[in-house]
Amino acid sequence: MYVPKESQPKQGGTAVKGRDGEKGGKKKIVAQNKKARHDYAIIDTYEAGLVLTGTEVKSLRQGRTSLADGFVQIDGGEAWLHNAHIPEYHQGSWTNHSARRKRKLLLHREEIDKLESKAQETGHTIVPLALYFKDGRAKAEIALARGKKEYDKRQTLREKQDRRESDRAIAAAKRKQRGQ
């Protein structure tokens, strides 16, 4: 059977594009900073590329990383990720990296300027939320955040617990309805 060339599926290495025209890809999350979402009220999030060495990428792919003490600082118009712990690669040689070195974040100039001006306001900071691979490239999700007070944290926990209890009640009602 003859099929016209126009109706044949295209083959090739073009990237799959999402709804809004951006490259879509699978995210493979390597590390998350859950404590940051508890300690800070997230105002705005950004996706930044990371400048890494080869052994850092290999160590990230093994998934043994921690962002617990990490923070972002802007020095001289460049964004830097401090205190993110990426352990040394076991098969690495003398070219291995240091585990807590500062790493450069790749952002657009407008984003850096906006983050710098907002971070200088009282109570605002820039924290890393996650490290992940997207289309084979290491990315960091960073957020402009404001520190929560102790009563804000308790309120958040209370809301979370109430939401969980209501979900349980709804699920129990559905199970009971199916049983009749």
Side-chain angles (χ1 to χ4, degrees), residues 111-134:
E111 292 174 333
I112 292 174
D113 293 340
K114 184 178 177 183
L115 279 171
E116 186 173 24
S117 66
K118 293 283 188 178
Q120 289 178 0
E121 293 178 15
T122 9
H124 288 82
T125 186
I126 308 167
V127 293
L129 297 178
L131 284 178
Y132 54 90
F133 284 100
K134 183 176 177 183

Side-chain angles (χ1 to χ4, degrees), residues 35-67:
K35 190 171 186 196
R37 293 195 186 270
H38 179 263
D39 291 342
Y40 299 98
I42 307 300
I43 297 169
D44 203 5
T45 61
Y46 297 89
E47 180 181 68
L50 283 165
V51 177
L52 300 172
T53 63
T55 54
E56 286 175 322
V57 174
K58 290 179 179 186
S59 186
L60 269 179
R61 289 199 189 279
Q62 290 178 343
R64 302 171 305 118
T65 239
S66 171
L67 292 174

Side-chain angles (χ1 to χ4, degrees), residues 47-51 79 103-108 111-112 138-140:
E47 180 181 68
L50 283 165
V51 177
R103 294 164 178 92
K104 188 175 180 179
L105 294 174
L106 304 173
L107 290 162
H108 290 284
E111 292 174 333
I112 292 174
K139 303 281 185 181

Side-chain angles (χ1 to χ4, degrees), residues 149-164:
K149 304 282 187 218
E150 197 62 37
Y151 58 84
D152 289 334
K153 293 178 190 178
R154 285 194 299 265
Q155 179 66 24
T156 304
L157 287 174
R158 194 173 305 119
E159 289 170 0
K160 194 177 193 180
Q161 187 177 7
D162 291 344
R163 206 173 320 118
R164 195 176 301 135

